[in-house]
Amino acid sequence: MKDANVREMNYLEKQDYYLKLIAEIMAVRKRGDKPVAFIHTYGCQQNVADSEKIKGMLHQAGFDFSDRPDDADFILFNTCAVREHAEDRVFGNVGALKNIKRKHPSTLIALCGCMMEQKHIAERMYNSFPFVSLVFGTHSLQNFPELYYRALFTGKRVYERDNDDKLIYEGIPTKRDGTFKGWLSIMYGCDNFCTYCIVPYVRGRERSRKSADIYKEAREMINSGYKDITLLGQNVNSYGKGLGEDISFAKLIGEIDKIPGDYWLRFMTSHPKDCSRELIDTMANSQHISKHLHLPFQSGSDRILKKMNRHYDRKKYIEIINYAKEKIPDISITSDIIVGFPGETYEDFKETLSLIREVKFTSLFTFIYSPRLGTPAAKMDDPISAEEKSKWFQELLTVQEEIAAERCSSMVGKKEKILVESLNQKNGKLQCRNSGNIIVECDGDESLIGTFQTAEITQARNWILRGKIIN
Ligand code: 5AD
Ligand code: SF4
């Protein structure tokens, strides 16, 4: 094929073209055996969803997947930049791949994801790890087949990042990790610029998929047996902005809810500033939307919320929570919290503790503030020591443990619809979840995995429930 012909192809034609070429090269190298890929994903569900697309493309090129990097012809780390700890882990784990490359020189090692959209990090990784052949950022995902082919065919290192064209690429094949639980991206990027957060810089501006594309994918998932579908976006409540459709997130999820079938619909992440009463009403009147609201409040102090650029205050947060509790009495509420934001005092922190006591969350994702280069908060004065922040963090965990235990105890004796998810190898129990996303452990046969059951809750163990399957 002439270069000019390839240049004229659209991205899907190009994708097919390069995947075929990759398949041909690998067929010769592997002498008929299937090539194998090892994909390791760090960070949030958005990254998991991206990895599922990369797996979809590799699957089309004939690859199998392994959870052992030693077996692989292609190794990819999909990285996360949200906190320093996640980045440190990636640096350590990529360093360790050097031995695999020494043992198997033909293995191609690649890095992608959010860390690669930070120039200083991508360059540092590219320069520190010469055995890494391919580096590409989140905005280059749709070009993955071409980039991989270039690295494979030329043997030269390939580096592509900072490629944000603000478009959405439909039609990339997806190979989902689960067969009954899956992610469905409804939008990409974020426009909120919370002052601590790197996401808007590494995932670009917010853009929503057309509702028709989302309905089609939701229908396909439901018809092929998905029982638990999570609609994904950094701020799902502002879905539809700039799309030119008469739509809101509440309308979108309300329409999906009308698709017949036995399934749960979840969504994340919600932002309190855009979480509408219309959405709560839709949840209350729906058939399939789970009784779970993940609504990160980050801090209970209005002073800190302002410095975080969150655009809501404690009063507004409590108002929407109370409305949700009134309309959906057994709703399970979860949240994200940052401890030790620059300038936070113990008085501010106590406001966070009092909010937790007031709302009674079922569970919390708690983080110690981690400065991210290039964000406004990284330049703010941060006088509190790491030891002090760690003490506050422990205090928060202790308070939350008590609340979660109390919340779980109140469920003993109730009958709950549960989805059986897996077998816990450690204790031999079936690991299940209820609509509120609370873990319920039950005795039962592995054949129940992937099915809905009814369980009577018999015991509460901190934030986990024990139950007995009764149908
Ligand atoms: N430091 C600590 N936690 C952070 N988060 C985002 N950025 C940071 C940071 N710089 C947390 C927020 C967000 C969750 C996904 O990660 O709580 O909701
Ligand atoms: Fe980050 Fe705020 Fe956007 Fe969430 S809403 S991704 S915390 S900037």
Side-chain angles (χ1 to χ4, degrees):
M1 176 105 34
K2 281 197 189 125
D3 278 0
N5 292 352
V6 179
R7 266 201 303 275
E8 277 158 25
M9 290 177 181
N10 70 31
Y11 72 97
L12 287 176
E13 290 164 341
K14 257 193 199 173
Q15 184 180 286
D16 287 350
Y17 171 72
Y18 285 112
L19 290 175
K20 236 180 237 146
L21 291 179
I22 293 167
E24 282 167 15
I25 295 179
M26 294 315 286
V28 174
R29 282 206 187 163
K30 300 287 293 182
R31 299 201 181 96
D33 282 347
K34 276 196 149 200
V36 174
F38 167 87
I39 315 280
H40 189 77
T41 310
Y42 297 84
C44 68
Q45 290 74 19
Q46 201 69 62
N47 259 16
V48 174
D50 282 354
S51 288
E52 289 181 342
K53 284 189 179 152
I54 293 172
K55 284 183 191 171
M57 295 188 252
L58 287 169
H59 180 69
Q60 193 178 318
F63 276 74
D64 267 348
F65 298 92
S66 167
D67 48 15
R68 285 171 34 90
D70 287 82
D71 299 340
D73 301 287
F74 178 67
I75 296 177
L76 175 72
F77 282 2
N78 188 358
T79 64
C80 168
V82 84
R83 280 172 294 275
E84 195 177 356
H85 177 65
E87 289 189 346
D88 290 345
R89 273 175 52 217
V90 173
F91 269 101
N93 293 348
V94 175
L97 292 178
K98 192 174 175 182
N99 289 331
I100 294 186
K101 184 74 181 177
R102 199 176 294 138
K103 266 195 275 171
H104 308 290
S106 66
T107 300
L108 196 143
I109 298 176
L111 302 173
C112 70
C114 293
M115 277 172 81
M116 302 308 127
E117 289 296 351
Q118 292 174 283
K119 189 164 183 272
H120 67 289
I121 300 273
E123 283 176 0
R124 197 175 128 206
M125 295 207 96
Y126 187 79
N127 296 331
S128 314
F129 303 119
F131 52 87
V132 170
S133 303
L134 169 58
V135 165
F136 62 101
T138 53
H139 300 307
S140 304
L141 186 91
Q142 70 285 352
N143 297 336
F144 165 68
E146 180 178 351
L147 302 174
Y148 180 20
Y149 169 76
R150 255 170 43 207
L152 206 54
F153 182 70
T154 64
K156 289 193 182 138
R157 301 178 80 197
V158 173
Y159 176 95
E160 185 171 290
R161 50 171 301 284
D162 196 14
N163 200 18
D164 187 8
D165 53 14
K166 300 178 178 61
L167 297 176
I168 287 188
Y169 290 91
E170 292 291 345
I172 298 178
T174 296
K175 190 172 186 317
R176 292 195 159 86
D177 293 335
T179 52
F180 57 89
K181 213 176 144 135
W183 313 109
L184 200 178
S185 294
I186 62 165
M187 60 202 292
Y188 305 97
C190 181
D191 284 351
N192 288 318
F193 290 96
C194 301
T195 53
Y196 50 82
C197 186
I198 196 71
V199 168
Y201 306 89
V202 294
R203 286 207 167 261
R205 297 290 58 74
E206 184 179 300
R207 52 217 181 272
S208 296
R209 291 177 69 192
K210 287 191 191 117
S211 60
D213 291 326
I214 298 170
Y215 298 144
K216 181 168 169 275
E217 191 169 346
R219 244 180 263 113
E220 282 165 6
M221 288 178 80
I222 292 162
N223 292 340
S224 58
Y226 279 86
K227 299 270 184 288
D228 188 327
I229 299 172
T230 303
L231 308 182
L232 268 191
Q234 304 296 346
N235 176 13
V236 291
N237 304 95
S238 71
Y239 170 78
K241 205 171 72 185
L243 199 56
E245 290 187 38
D246 176 23
I247 194 137
S248 63
F249 179 61
K251 270 192 193 159
L252 179 90
I253 198 165
E255 281 304 310
I256 299 175
D257 184 57
K258 290 180 190 157
I259 302 172
D262 192 13
Y263 62 91
W264 279 335
L265 271 179
R266 302 183 186 278
F267 53 94
M268 70 187 305
T269 298
S270 284
H271 194 306
K273 81 177 164 67
D274 300 311
C275 186
S276 63
R277 289 186 173 218
E278 186 197 2
L279 172 63
I280 306 294
D281 293 342
T282 307
M283 288 173 79
N285 299 325
S286 80
Q287 276 222 42
H288 302 103
I289 305 175
S290 65
K291 294 178 179 174
H292 175 207
L293 182 62
H294 180 64
L295 197 62
F297 71 87
Q298 312 297 356
S299 167
S301 153
D302 285 346
R303 199 179 72 84
I304 296 298
L305 286 173
K306 225 182 212 126
K307 287 181 76 176
M308 287 177 163
N309 193 33
R310 292 285 291 175
H311 295 284
Y312 56 87
D313 58 12
R314 183 190 174 100
K315 185 164 162 277
K316 182 170 179 218
Y317 185 81
I318 300 275
E319 262 170 26
I320 192 80
I321 293 290
N322 285 345
Y323 187 72
K325 283 181 177 172
E326 182 194 319
K327 293 283 166 173
I328 311 164
D330 47 352
I331 192 166
S332 151
I333 297 164
T334 58
S335 194
D336 296 350
I337 295 178
I338 296 179
V339 174
F341 183 81
E344 182 174 343
T345 62
Y346 189 64
E347 290 306 307
D348 293 311
F349 172 68
K350 280 204 300 200
E351 298 267 308
T352 296
L353 289 183
S354 82
L355 190 86
I356 292 171
R357 290 201 172 95
E358 191 170 345
V359 174
K360 297 198 190 316
F361 294 95
T362 25
S363 61
L364 289 176
F365 297 91
T366 45
F367 310 102
I368 291 184
Y369 169 72
S370 169
R372 306 286 61 213
L373 193 73
T375 61
K379 295 191 205 97
M380 294 179 191
D381 239 16
D382 192 4
I384 303 292
S385 68
E387 290 74 34
E388 187 66 13
K389 289 184 184 184
S390 175
K391 262 198 239 158
W392 298 358
F393 189 75
Q394 283 311 321
E395 195 177 341
L396 179 79
L397 295 188
T398 309
V399 171
Q400 177 54 25
E401 250 172 51
E402 278 168 30
I403 293 167
E406 198 184 301
R407 172 85 172 71
C408 279
S409 298
S410 72
M411 296 182 68
V412 173
K414 289 195 172 157
K415 291 192 178 75
E416 292 277 312
K417 180 172 177 174
I418 53 166
L419 178 63
V420 184
E421 291 190 351
S422 58
L423 181 70
N424 182 337
Q425 299 292 347
K426 282 192 196 135
N427 62 11
K429 304 268 181 202
L430 289 176
Q431 178 117 342
C432 320
R433 270 176 206 270
N434 74 352
S435 166
N437 214 30
I438 303 175
I439 296 173
V440 185
E441 289 183 339
C442 298
D443 287 318
D445 194 83
E446 248 182 295
S447 61
L448 296 180
I449 292 172
T451 65
F452 282 119
Q453 300 293 329
T454 303
E456 187 178 325
I457 306 303
T458 53
Q459 202 189 344
R461 312 173 83 231
N462 296 329
W463 59 92
I464 293 181
L465 298 169
R466 280 270 165 93
K468 187 167 175 276
I469 294 176
I470 53 173
N471 51 335

